[in-house]
Amino acid sequence: METVLIVVEFILAIIMIALVLMQQSKSDGLKGLTGGSSQESFFAKNRGRTGEAFLKKLTVIVAVLFAINTIAMNLI
């Protein structure tokens, strides 16, 4: 049983790393220092319905599964 949980933990960790790396950066970089304003685009207004929102939700789900698996490993 322990071996299965360790393998699942490893797989969840790899998936979580990949999901975090696939997400876009939230910072404006140097544009924020120079006073540049970000334009409101269709993509910016509809973020909840895009692939970015899907990645965010999937990351939360994988993180919760990772936490549950970690607790299960400590209880055994």
Side-chain angles (χ1 to χ4, degrees):
M1 184 69 176
E2 285 182 42
T3 307
V4 172
L5 289 175
I6 291 172
V7 170
V8 169
E9 186 88 1
F10 180 74
I11 292 170
L12 288 173
I14 298 297
I15 291 171
M16 191 171 2
I17 290 169
L19 287 172
V20 169
L21 289 176
M22 286 175 21
Q23 294 181 11
Q24 288 184 342
S25 174
K26 303 259 189 252
S27 66
D28 288 338
L30 290 177
K31 188 186 338 179
L33 293 176
T34 60
S37 64
S38 61
Q39 300 274 333
E40 283 291 320
S41 64
F42 177 77
F43 179 73
K45 291 179 184 176
N46 295 307
R47 272 203 180 129
R49 296 182 222 141
T50 61
E52 184 180 338
F54 176 72
L55 280 176
K56 185 184 269 188
K57 290 176 188 176
L58 196 58
T59 304
V60 170
I61 291 169
V62 171
V64 168
L65 291 173
F66 185 84
I68 291 170
N69 192 47
T70 301
I71 292 170
M73 282 177 34
N74 284 326
L75 291 177
I76 291 180

Short mmCIF file of all heavy atoms in Angstrom, two decimals:
data_model
loop_
_atom_site.label_atom_id
_atom_site.label_comp_id
_atom_site.label_asym_id
_atom_site.label_seq_id
_atom_site.Cartn_x
_atom_site.Cartn_y
_atom_site.Cartn_z
N MET A 1 0.82 -1.20 0.00
CA MET A 1 0.00 0.00 0.00
C MET A 1 0.87 1.27 0.00
O MET A 1 0.53 2.24 -0.65
CB MET A 1 -0.93 -0.03 1.21
CG MET A 1 -1.89 1.11 1.26
SD MET A 1 -3.10 0.94 -0.05
CE MET A 1 -4.15 2.29 0.30
N GLU A 2 1.96 1.21 0.77
CA GLU A 2 2.84 2.37 0.83
C GLU A 2 3.47 2.67 -0.53
O GLU A 2 3.61 3.84 -0.90
CB GLU A 2 3.95 2.15 1.86
CG GLU A 2 3.49 2.27 3.29
CD GLU A 2 4.64 2.09 4.26
OE1 GLU A 2 5.72 2.64 3.98
OE2 GLU A 2 4.44 1.40 5.27
N THR A 3 3.82 1.62 -1.24
CA THR A 3 4.44 1.80 -2.55
C THR A 3 3.48 2.48 -3.52
O THR A 3 3.89 3.38 -4.28
CB THR A 3 4.89 0.44 -3.13
OG1 THR A 3 5.71 -0.21 -2.16
CG2 THR A 3 5.64 0.62 -4.42
N VAL A 4 2.23 2.10 -3.47
CA VAL A 4 1.22 2.71 -4.35
C VAL A 4 1.08 4.19 -4.02
O VAL A 4 1.03 5.04 -4.92
CB VAL A 4 -0.13 1.98 -4.20
CG1 VAL A 4 -1.23 2.71 -4.96
CG2 VAL A 4 -0.02 0.54 -4.69
N LEU A 5 1.02 4.54 -2.74
CA LEU A 5 0.88 5.93 -2.34
C LEU A 5 2.11 6.76 -2.73
O LEU A 5 1.98 7.92 -3.12
CB LEU A 5 0.63 6.04 -0.83
CG LEU A 5 -0.74 5.56 -0.35
CD1 LEU A 5 -0.82 5.61 1.17
CD2 LEU A 5 -1.85 6.39 -0.96
N ILE A 6 3.28 6.17 -2.63
CA ILE A 6 4.49 6.89 -3.03
C ILE A 6 4.50 7.15 -4.53
O ILE A 6 4.85 8.25 -4.98
CB ILE A 6 5.74 6.11 -2.58
CG1 ILE A 6 5.86 6.14 -1.07
CG2 ILE A 6 7.00 6.67 -3.24
CD1 ILE A 6 6.94 5.25 -0.51
N VAL A 7 4.09 6.17 -5.31
CA VAL A 7 4.03 6.34 -6.77
C VAL A 7 2.99 7.40 -7.13
O VAL A 7 3.24 8.27 -7.99
CB VAL A 7 3.72 4.99 -7.47
CG1 VAL A 7 3.41 5.18 -8.93
CG2 VAL A 7 4.88 4.03 -7.28
N VAL A 8 1.83 7.37 -6.48
CA VAL A 8 0.80 8.37 -6.74
C VAL A 8 1.30 9.76 -6.35
O VAL A 8 1.06 10.74 -7.07
CB VAL A 8 -0.51 8.01 -5.98
CG1 VAL A 8 -1.50 9.16 -6.02
CG2 VAL A 8 -1.13 6.75 -6.55
N GLU A 9 2.01 9.86 -5.24
CA GLU A 9 2.58 11.14 -4.80
C GLU A 9 3.55 11.70 -5.84
O GLU A 9 3.52 12.88 -6.17
CB GLU A 9 3.29 10.96 -3.46
CG GLU A 9 3.78 12.23 -2.84
CD GLU A 9 2.76 12.90 -1.96
OE1 GLU A 9 1.65 12.38 -1.80
OE2 GLU A 9 3.08 13.97 -1.43
N PHE A 10 4.39 10.83 -6.36
CA PHE A 10 5.36 11.24 -7.38
C PHE A 10 4.66 11.72 -8.64
O PHE A 10 5.01 12.76 -9.21
CB PHE A 10 6.31 10.07 -7.68
CG PHE A 10 7.34 10.39 -8.71
CD1 PHE A 10 8.42 11.20 -8.40
CD2 PHE A 10 7.23 9.91 -10.00
CE1 PHE A 10 9.38 11.51 -9.36
CE2 PHE A 10 8.18 10.20 -10.96
CZ PHE A 10 9.26 11.01 -10.64
N ILE A 11 3.65 10.98 -9.09
CA ILE A 11 2.91 11.36 -10.30
C ILE A 11 2.19 12.69 -10.10
O ILE A 11 2.22 13.56 -10.98
CB ILE A 11 1.94 10.23 -10.70
CG1 ILE A 11 2.73 9.00 -11.17
CG2 ILE A 11 0.97 10.69 -11.79
CD1 ILE A 11 1.88 7.76 -11.37
N LEU A 12 1.55 12.86 -8.94
CA LEU A 12 0.85 14.12 -8.66
C LEU A 12 1.83 15.29 -8.60
O LEU A 12 1.51 16.40 -9.05
CB LEU A 12 0.06 14.01 -7.36
CG LEU A 12 -1.20 13.16 -7.40
CD1 LEU A 12 -1.78 12.99 -6.01
CD2 LEU A 12 -2.23 13.76 -8.34
N ALA A 13 3.01 15.07 -8.05
CA ALA A 13 4.02 16.13 -7.98
C ALA A 13 4.45 16.56 -9.37
O ALA A 13 4.56 17.76 -9.66
CB ALA A 13 5.21 15.67 -7.16
N ILE A 14 4.70 15.61 -10.25
CA ILE A 14 5.10 15.92 -11.62
C ILE A 14 3.99 16.67 -12.35
O ILE A 14 4.25 17.66 -13.06
CB ILE A 14 5.50 14.63 -12.39
CG1 ILE A 14 6.70 13.96 -11.73
CG2 ILE A 14 5.75 14.92 -13.86
CD1 ILE A 14 7.96 14.79 -11.73
N ILE A 15 2.75 16.23 -12.18
CA ILE A 15 1.62 16.90 -12.82
C ILE A 15 1.47 18.32 -12.30
O ILE A 15 1.25 19.26 -13.08
CB ILE A 15 0.32 16.09 -12.61
CG1 ILE A 15 0.39 14.78 -13.38
CG2 ILE A 15 -0.90 16.89 -13.03
CD1 ILE A 15 -0.75 13.82 -13.07
N MET A 16 1.62 18.51 -10.99
CA MET A 16 1.48 19.84 -10.42
C MET A 16 2.58 20.79 -10.92
O MET A 16 2.32 21.95 -11.23
CB MET A 16 1.48 19.80 -8.89
CG MET A 16 1.07 21.11 -8.29
SD MET A 16 0.77 21.20 -6.51
CE MET A 16 1.09 19.64 -5.86
N ILE A 17 3.80 20.30 -11.02
CA ILE A 17 4.90 21.11 -11.54
C ILE A 17 4.60 21.53 -12.97
O ILE A 17 4.78 22.70 -13.35
CB ILE A 17 6.23 20.35 -11.44
CG1 ILE A 17 6.65 20.22 -9.98
CG2 ILE A 17 7.31 21.03 -12.26
CD1 ILE A 17 7.80 19.27 -9.74
N ALA A 18 4.13 20.59 -13.78
CA ALA A 18 3.82 20.90 -15.18
C ALA A 18 2.70 21.93 -15.29
O ALA A 18 2.76 22.86 -16.10
CB ALA A 18 3.45 19.62 -15.93
N LEU A 19 1.67 21.79 -14.46
CA LEU A 19 0.54 22.73 -14.51
C LEU A 19 0.97 24.13 -14.10
O LEU A 19 0.55 25.12 -14.71
CB LEU A 19 -0.59 22.24 -13.60
CG LEU A 19 -1.39 21.05 -14.11
CD1 LEU A 19 -2.34 20.56 -13.04
CD2 LEU A 19 -2.16 21.43 -15.36
N VAL A 20 1.80 24.24 -13.08
CA VAL A 20 2.25 25.56 -12.64
C VAL A 20 3.12 26.21 -13.71
O VAL A 20 3.00 27.41 -13.98
CB VAL A 20 3.00 25.44 -11.30
CG1 VAL A 20 3.70 26.73 -10.95
CG2 VAL A 20 2.03 25.06 -10.18
N LEU A 21 3.97 25.43 -14.35
CA LEU A 21 4.83 25.99 -15.38
C LEU A 21 4.06 26.39 -16.64
O LEU A 21 4.50 27.27 -17.39
CB LEU A 21 5.93 25.00 -15.75
CG LEU A 21 7.01 24.79 -14.68
CD1 LEU A 21 7.98 23.71 -15.12
CD2 LEU A 21 7.73 26.09 -14.40
N MET A 22 2.91 25.80 -16.89
CA MET A 22 2.12 26.12 -18.07
C MET A 22 1.30 27.39 -17.89
O MET A 22 0.85 27.98 -18.88
CB MET A 22 1.17 24.96 -18.41
CG MET A 22 1.90 23.79 -19.01
SD MET A 22 0.93 22.29 -19.32
CE MET A 22 -0.74 22.78 -19.40
N GLN A 23 1.12 27.86 -16.66
CA GLN A 23 0.32 29.06 -16.42
C GLN A 23 1.09 30.31 -16.77
O GLN A 23 2.31 30.36 -16.67
CB GLN A 23 -0.13 29.10 -14.96
CG GLN A 23 -1.09 28.00 -14.62
CD GLN A 23 -1.54 28.06 -13.18
OE1 GLN A 23 -1.31 29.03 -12.49
NE2 GLN A 23 -2.17 27.00 -12.72
N GLN A 24 0.33 31.34 -17.16
CA GLN A 24 0.94 32.62 -17.53
C GLN A 24 1.33 33.39 -16.28
O GLN A 24 0.72 33.24 -15.22
CB GLN A 24 -0.03 33.46 -18.35
CG GLN A 24 -0.23 32.95 -19.74
CD GLN A 24 -1.12 33.89 -20.53
OE1 GLN A 24 -1.82 34.71 -19.97
NE2 GLN A 24 -1.09 33.75 -21.84
N SER A 25 2.31 34.26 -16.43
CA SER A 25 2.76 35.11 -15.34
C SER A 25 1.72 36.18 -15.04
O SER A 25 1.09 36.71 -15.95
CB SER A 25 4.08 35.77 -15.71
OG SER A 25 4.46 36.69 -14.74
N LYS A 26 1.54 36.51 -13.78
CA LYS A 26 0.57 37.52 -13.39
C LYS A 26 1.18 38.92 -13.29
O LYS A 26 0.49 39.90 -13.17
CB LYS A 26 -0.03 37.16 -12.03
CG LYS A 26 -0.69 35.80 -12.02
CD LYS A 26 -2.17 35.94 -12.14
CE LYS A 26 -2.81 34.61 -11.90
NZ LYS A 26 -3.34 34.01 -13.07
N SER A 27 2.50 39.02 -13.36
CA SER A 27 3.14 40.32 -13.21
C SER A 27 3.24 41.03 -14.55
O SER A 27 3.28 40.42 -15.61
CB SER A 27 4.53 40.15 -12.61
OG SER A 27 5.36 39.47 -13.51
N ASP A 28 3.30 42.35 -14.48
CA ASP A 28 3.43 43.16 -15.69
C ASP A 28 4.88 43.37 -16.08
O ASP A 28 5.16 43.92 -17.13
CB ASP A 28 2.78 44.53 -15.48
CG ASP A 28 1.27 44.45 -15.45
OD1 ASP A 28 0.74 43.47 -16.00
OD2 ASP A 28 0.64 45.35 -14.89
N GLY A 29 5.79 42.96 -15.24
CA GLY A 29 7.20 43.15 -15.54
C GLY A 29 7.59 44.61 -15.46
O GLY A 29 7.14 45.34 -14.58
N LEU A 30 8.39 45.07 -16.38
CA LEU A 30 8.84 46.46 -16.38
C LEU A 30 7.75 47.44 -16.78
O LEU A 30 7.85 48.63 -16.50
CB LEU A 30 10.04 46.63 -17.31
CG LEU A 30 11.33 45.99 -16.83
CD1 LEU A 30 12.42 46.16 -17.89
CD2 LEU A 30 11.78 46.57 -15.52
N LYS A 31 6.70 46.95 -17.40
CA LYS A 31 5.61 47.83 -17.79
C LYS A 31 4.97 48.50 -16.57
O LYS A 31 4.56 49.65 -16.62
CB LYS A 31 4.53 47.05 -18.55
CG LYS A 31 3.49 47.96 -19.15
CD LYS A 31 2.30 47.27 -19.80
CE LYS A 31 2.47 45.88 -20.24
NZ LYS A 31 1.25 45.32 -20.83
N GLY A 32 4.90 47.80 -15.45
CA GLY A 32 4.34 48.37 -14.24
C GLY A 32 5.20 49.47 -13.65
O GLY A 32 4.70 50.40 -13.03
N LEU A 33 6.51 49.41 -13.86
CA LEU A 33 7.40 50.44 -13.34
C LEU A 33 7.38 51.70 -14.17
O LEU A 33 7.55 52.80 -13.66
CB LEU A 33 8.84 49.90 -13.27
CG LEU A 33 9.11 48.79 -12.27
CD1 LEU A 33 10.54 48.30 -12.41
CD2 LEU A 33 8.85 49.27 -10.86
N THR A 34 7.18 51.56 -15.48
CA THR A 34 7.24 52.71 -16.37
C THR A 34 5.90 53.41 -16.51
O THR A 34 5.79 54.41 -17.21
CB THR A 34 7.72 52.29 -17.76
OG1 THR A 34 6.81 51.32 -18.29
CG2 THR A 34 9.12 51.72 -17.70
N GLY A 35 4.88 52.91 -15.87
CA GLY A 35 3.58 53.56 -15.93
C GLY A 35 2.72 53.10 -17.09
O GLY A 35 1.67 53.68 -17.35
N GLY A 36 3.13 52.08 -17.80
CA GLY A 36 2.34 51.57 -18.91
C GLY A 36 1.06 50.93 -18.41
O GLY A 36 1.02 50.27 -17.38
N SER A 37 -0.01 51.19 -19.10
CA SER A 37 -1.30 50.62 -18.66
C SER A 37 -1.62 49.41 -19.50
O SER A 37 -1.33 49.35 -20.69
CB SER A 37 -2.41 51.66 -18.81
OG SER A 37 -2.57 52.00 -20.16
N SER A 38 -2.25 48.44 -18.87
CA SER A 38 -2.65 47.24 -19.61
C SER A 38 -4.00 47.48 -20.26
O SER A 38 -4.92 47.99 -19.63
CB SER A 38 -2.69 46.03 -18.68
OG SER A 38 -3.65 46.24 -17.66
N GLN A 39 -4.12 47.13 -21.50
CA GLN A 39 -5.35 47.31 -22.26
C GLN A 39 -6.34 46.21 -21.88
O GLN A 39 -5.96 45.07 -21.69
CB GLN A 39 -5.06 47.23 -23.75
CG GLN A 39 -4.09 48.28 -24.23
CD GLN A 39 -4.79 49.58 -24.57
OE1 GLN A 39 -5.97 49.55 -24.91
NE2 GLN A 39 -4.09 50.66 -24.47
N GLU A 40 -7.59 46.56 -21.78
CA GLU A 40 -8.63 45.58 -21.54
C GLU A 40 -8.98 44.93 -22.88
O GLU A 40 -9.52 45.58 -23.77
CB GLU A 40 -9.88 46.23 -20.94
CG GLU A 40 -9.77 46.55 -19.48
CD GLU A 40 -9.73 45.30 -18.62
OE1 GLU A 40 -10.46 44.34 -18.90
OE2 GLU A 40 -8.94 45.30 -17.66
N SER A 41 -8.66 43.68 -23.03
CA SER A 41 -8.97 42.98 -24.26
C SER A 41 -10.09 41.99 -24.01
O SER A 41 -10.52 41.79 -22.89
CB SER A 41 -7.73 42.24 -24.77
OG SER A 41 -7.36 41.25 -23.86
N PHE A 42 -10.55 41.37 -25.06
CA PHE A 42 -11.59 40.36 -24.93
C PHE A 42 -11.11 39.23 -24.03
O PHE A 42 -11.85 38.74 -23.19
CB PHE A 42 -11.97 39.81 -26.31
CG PHE A 42 -12.99 38.71 -26.24
CD1 PHE A 42 -14.33 39.00 -26.02
CD2 PHE A 42 -12.61 37.39 -26.39
CE1 PHE A 42 -15.27 37.99 -25.95
CE2 PHE A 42 -13.54 36.37 -26.32
CZ PHE A 42 -14.87 36.68 -26.10
N PHE A 43 -9.85 38.85 -24.21
CA PHE A 43 -9.29 37.77 -23.40
C PHE A 43 -9.25 38.17 -21.92
O PHE A 43 -9.56 37.38 -21.05
CB PHE A 43 -7.88 37.42 -23.89
CG PHE A 43 -7.23 36.33 -23.11
CD1 PHE A 43 -7.64 35.01 -23.24
CD2 PHE A 43 -6.21 36.61 -22.21
CE1 PHE A 43 -7.05 34.01 -22.51
CE2 PHE A 43 -5.62 35.61 -21.48
CZ PHE A 43 -6.04 34.31 -21.63
N ALA A 44 -8.87 39.39 -21.63
CA ALA A 44 -8.77 39.84 -20.24
C ALA A 44 -10.14 39.91 -19.59
O ALA A 44 -10.28 39.63 -18.40
CB ALA A 44 -8.08 41.20 -20.19
N LYS A 45 -11.15 40.28 -20.35
CA LYS A 45 -12.50 40.40 -19.78
C LYS A 45 -13.15 39.05 -19.56
O LYS A 45 -14.02 38.91 -18.71
CB LYS A 45 -13.37 41.23 -20.72
CG LYS A 45 -12.97 42.68 -20.78
CD LYS A 45 -13.86 43.43 -21.75
CE LYS A 45 -13.41 44.86 -21.90
NZ LYS A 45 -14.18 45.58 -22.91
N ASN A 46 -12.77 38.03 -20.33
CA ASN A 46 -13.41 36.72 -20.26
C ASN A 46 -12.46 35.65 -19.75
O ASN A 46 -12.48 34.51 -20.23
CB ASN A 46 -13.93 36.33 -21.65
CG ASN A 46 -15.03 37.26 -22.10
OD1 ASN A 46 -15.99 37.46 -21.39
ND2 ASN A 46 -14.86 37.85 -23.26
N ARG A 47 -11.64 35.98 -18.78
CA ARG A 47 -10.66 35.02 -18.26
C ARG A 47 -11.31 33.79 -17.64
O ARG A 47 -10.75 32.71 -17.67
CB ARG A 47 -9.80 35.69 -17.19
CG ARG A 47 -8.63 36.33 -17.79
CD ARG A 47 -7.53 36.50 -16.81
NE ARG A 47 -6.45 37.14 -17.54
CZ ARG A 47 -5.83 38.21 -17.16
NH1 ARG A 47 -6.12 38.75 -16.02
NH2 ARG A 47 -4.89 38.73 -17.89
N GLY A 48 -12.49 33.94 -17.08
CA GLY A 48 -13.15 32.82 -16.43
C GLY A 48 -13.56 31.70 -17.37
O GLY A 48 -13.79 30.59 -16.96
N ARG A 49 -13.63 32.00 -18.65
CA ARG A 49 -14.08 31.01 -19.63
C ARG A 49 -12.96 30.53 -20.53
O ARG A 49 -13.22 29.93 -21.56
CB ARG A 49 -15.18 31.62 -20.49
CG ARG A 49 -16.41 31.97 -19.71
CD ARG A 49 -17.47 32.53 -20.61
NE ARG A 49 -18.07 33.66 -19.90
CZ ARG A 49 -18.43 34.77 -20.46
NH1 ARG A 49 -18.28 34.95 -21.73
NH2 ARG A 49 -18.95 35.74 -19.75
N THR A 50 -11.74 30.79 -20.17
CA THR A 50 -10.62 30.47 -21.05
C THR A 50 -9.82 29.28 -20.53
O THR A 50 -10.09 28.74 -19.47
CB THR A 50 -9.69 31.67 -21.17
OG1 THR A 50 -9.19 31.97 -19.88
CG2 THR A 50 -10.39 32.88 -21.75
N GLY A 51 -8.81 28.93 -21.28
CA GLY A 51 -7.92 27.85 -20.87
C GLY A 51 -7.15 28.20 -19.62
O GLY A 51 -6.77 27.31 -18.84
N GLU A 52 -6.91 29.49 -19.39
CA GLU A 52 -6.21 29.92 -18.18
C GLU A 52 -7.01 29.57 -16.93
O GLU A 52 -6.45 29.10 -15.94
CB GLU A 52 -5.97 31.43 -18.24
CG GLU A 52 -5.19 31.97 -17.09
CD GLU A 52 -4.98 33.47 -17.19
OE1 GLU A 52 -5.07 34.01 -18.30
OE2 GLU A 52 -4.73 34.09 -16.15
N ALA A 53 -8.32 29.77 -16.98
CA ALA A 53 -9.17 29.41 -15.85
C ALA A 53 -9.19 27.90 -15.65
O ALA A 53 -9.20 27.42 -14.50
CB ALA A 53 -10.58 29.93 -16.07
N PHE A 54 -9.20 27.16 -16.74
CA PHE A 54 -9.18 25.70 -16.64
C PHE A 54 -7.89 25.21 -15.98
O PHE A 54 -7.92 24.33 -15.12
CB PHE A 54 -9.33 25.07 -18.03
CG PHE A 54 -9.23 23.59 -18.04
CD1 PHE A 54 -10.25 22.81 -17.51
CD2 PHE A 54 -8.11 22.96 -18.55
CE1 PHE A 54 -10.15 21.43 -17.51
CE2 PHE A 54 -8.00 21.59 -18.55
CZ PHE A 54 -9.02 20.81 -18.03
N LEU A 55 -6.75 25.80 -16.37
CA LEU A 55 -5.47 25.41 -15.75
C LEU A 55 -5.46 25.73 -14.26
O LEU A 55 -4.93 24.95 -13.46
CB LEU A 55 -4.31 26.13 -16.44
CG LEU A 55 -3.83 25.54 -17.76
CD1 LEU A 55 -2.74 26.42 -18.34
CD2 LEU A 55 -3.33 24.14 -17.57
N LYS A 56 -6.03 26.87 -13.90
CA LYS A 56 -6.08 27.26 -12.49
C LYS A 56 -6.91 26.26 -11.68
O LYS A 56 -6.50 25.82 -10.61
CB LYS A 56 -6.66 28.66 -12.35
CG LYS A 56 -6.64 29.19 -10.94
CD LYS A 56 -7.32 30.54 -10.85
CE LYS A 56 -6.32 31.63 -11.04
NZ LYS A 56 -6.90 32.97 -10.78
N LYS A 57 -8.08 25.89 -12.20
CA LYS A 57 -8.94 24.93 -11.50
C LYS A 57 -8.28 23.56 -11.41
O LYS A 57 -8.35 22.89 -10.37
CB LYS A 57 -10.29 24.81 -12.23
CG LYS A 57 -11.15 26.03 -12.10
CD LYS A 57 -12.41 25.89 -12.91
CE LYS A 57 -13.18 27.19 -12.95
NZ LYS A 57 -14.36 27.12 -13.80
N LEU A 58 -7.64 23.14 -12.49
CA LEU A 58 -6.96 21.85 -12.50
C LEU A 58 -5.80 21.83 -11.51
O LEU A 58 -5.57 20.82 -10.83
CB LEU A 58 -6.48 21.53 -13.91
CG LEU A 58 -6.09 20.10 -14.21
CD1 LEU A 58 -7.25 19.15 -13.93
CD2 LEU A 58 -5.64 19.97 -15.65
N THR A 59 -5.09 22.94 -11.39
CA THR A 59 -3.99 23.04 -10.42
C THR A 59 -4.50 22.90 -9.00
O THR A 59 -3.89 22.22 -8.17
CB THR A 59 -3.24 24.37 -10.60
OG1 THR A 59 -2.79 24.48 -11.94
CG2 THR A 59 -2.06 24.46 -9.66
N VAL A 60 -5.63 23.53 -8.70
CA VAL A 60 -6.21 23.43 -7.35
C VAL A 60 -6.63 22.00 -7.06
O VAL A 60 -6.38 21.48 -5.97
CB VAL A 60 -7.41 24.41 -7.21
CG1 VAL A 60 -8.17 24.15 -5.94
CG2 VAL A 60 -6.93 25.84 -7.26
N ILE A 61 -7.23 21.34 -8.03
CA ILE A 61 -7.68 19.95 -7.83
C ILE A 61 -6.48 19.04 -7.57
O ILE A 61 -6.50 18.21 -6.66
CB ILE A 61 -8.50 19.47 -9.05
CG1 ILE A 61 -9.84 20.21 -9.10
CG2 ILE A 61 -8.72 17.97 -9.01
CD1 ILE A 61 -10.61 20.00 -10.38
N VAL A 62 -5.43 19.19 -8.38
CA VAL A 62 -4.24 18.35 -8.20
C VAL A 62 -3.57 18.65 -6.86
O VAL A 62 -3.10 17.73 -6.18
CB VAL A 62 -3.26 18.54 -9.38
CG1 VAL A 62 -1.94 17.86 -9.11
CG2 VAL A 62 -3.87 17.99 -10.66
N ALA A 63 -3.56 19.91 -6.44
CA ALA A 63 -2.96 20.26 -5.15
C ALA A 63 -3.74 19.64 -3.99
O ALA A 63 -3.14 19.16 -3.02
CB ALA A 63 -2.89 21.78 -4.99
N VAL A 64 -5.05 19.63 -4.08
CA VAL A 64 -5.87 19.01 -3.03
C VAL A 64 -5.63 17.50 -2.99
O VAL A 64 -5.48 16.91 -1.91
CB VAL A 64 -7.36 19.34 -3.25
CG1 VAL A 64 -8.26 18.49 -2.37
CG2 VAL A 64 -7.61 20.82 -3.00
N LEU A 65 -5.57 16.86 -4.16
CA LEU A 65 -5.28 15.43 -4.20
C LEU A 65 -3.89 15.13 -3.64
O LEU A 65 -3.70 14.13 -2.93
CB LEU A 65 -5.39 14.91 -5.63
CG LEU A 65 -6.78 14.86 -6.24
CD1 LEU A 65 -6.72 14.47 -7.71
CD2 LEU A 65 -7.66 13.90 -5.47
N PHE A 66 -2.93 16.00 -3.93
CA PHE A 66 -1.57 15.85 -3.40
C PHE A 66 -1.58 15.93 -1.88
O PHE A 66 -0.95 15.13 -1.19
CB PHE A 66 -0.67 16.94 -4.00
CG PHE A 66 0.77 16.82 -3.63
CD1 PHE A 66 1.60 15.98 -4.33
CD2 PHE A 66 1.30 17.56 -2.58
CE1 PHE A 66 2.95 15.87 -4.00
CE2 PHE A 66 2.63 17.46 -2.24
CZ PHE A 66 3.46 16.62 -2.95
N ALA A 67 -2.32 16.90 -1.34
CA ALA A 67 -2.41 17.05 0.12
C ALA A 67 -3.09 15.85 0.77
O ALA A 67 -2.63 15.36 1.81
CB ALA A 67 -3.15 18.34 0.47
N ILE A 68 -4.16 15.37 0.17
CA ILE A 68 -4.87 14.19 0.71
C ILE A 68 -3.96 12.97 0.69
O ILE A 68 -3.91 12.19 1.65
CB ILE A 68 -6.18 13.95 -0.07
CG1 ILE A 68 -7.18 15.06 0.24
CG2 ILE A 68 -6.77 12.58 0.26
CD1 ILE A 68 -8.41 15.04 -0.65
N ASN A 69 -3.23 12.81 -0.40
CA ASN A 69 -2.32 11.67 -0.51
C ASN A 69 -1.19 11.77 0.51
O ASN A 69 -0.78 10.76 1.10
CB ASN A 69 -1.75 11.59 -1.94
CG ASN A 69 -1.04 10.30 -2.19
OD1 ASN A 69 -1.56 9.22 -1.87
ND2 ASN A 69 0.15 10.37 -2.74
N THR A 70 -0.70 12.97 0.75
CA THR A 70 0.36 13.16 1.75
C THR A 70 -0.14 12.81 3.14
O THR A 70 0.57 12.15 3.92
CB THR A 70 0.85 14.62 1.72
OG1 THR A 70 1.32 14.92 0.40
CG2 THR A 70 1.97 14.84 2.71
N ILE A 71 -1.35 13.22 3.46
CA ILE A 71 -1.93 12.89 4.77
C ILE A 71 -2.13 11.39 4.89
O ILE A 71 -1.85 10.79 5.93
CB ILE A 71 -3.27 13.65 4.97
CG1 ILE A 71 -2.98 15.15 5.11
CG2 ILE A 71 -4.02 13.12 6.19
CD1 ILE A 71 -4.21 16.02 5.08
N ALA A 72 -2.59 10.74 3.82
CA ALA A 72 -2.79 9.29 3.84
C ALA A 72 -1.47 8.57 4.04
O ALA A 72 -1.41 7.56 4.76
CB ALA A 72 -3.45 8.84 2.54
N MET A 73 -0.40 9.07 3.42
CA MET A 73 0.91 8.44 3.59
C MET A 73 1.39 8.57 5.04
O MET A 73 2.02 7.66 5.58
CB MET A 73 1.94 9.09 2.65
CG MET A 73 1.83 8.61 1.24
SD MET A 73 2.97 9.39 0.06
CE MET A 73 4.43 9.70 0.97
N ASN A 74 1.10 9.70 5.69
CA ASN A 74 1.54 9.89 7.07
C ASN A 74 0.72 9.05 8.06
O ASN A 74 1.22 8.71 9.12
CB ASN A 74 1.45 11.37 7.45
CG ASN A 74 2.57 12.16 6.86
OD1 ASN A 74 3.68 11.67 6.72
ND2 ASN A 74 2.28 13.40 6.48
N LEU A 75 -0.51 8.75 7.72
CA LEU A 75 -1.36 7.96 8.61
C LEU A 75 -1.00 6.48 8.57
O LEU A 75 -1.27 5.74 9.53
CB LEU A 75 -2.84 8.16 8.26
CG LEU A 75 -3.39 9.55 8.57
CD1 LEU A 75 -4.84 9.63 8.11
CD2 LEU A 75 -3.27 9.88 10.04
N ILE A 76 -0.44 6.05 7.47
CA ILE A 76 -0.09 4.61 7.34
C ILE A 76 1.27 4.33 7.95
O ILE A 76 2.17 5.03 7.96
CB ILE A 76 -0.13 4.19 5.86
CG1 ILE A 76 -1.57 4.21 5.41
CG2 ILE A 76 0.47 2.81 5.67
CD1 ILE A 76 -1.79 3.81 3.97
#
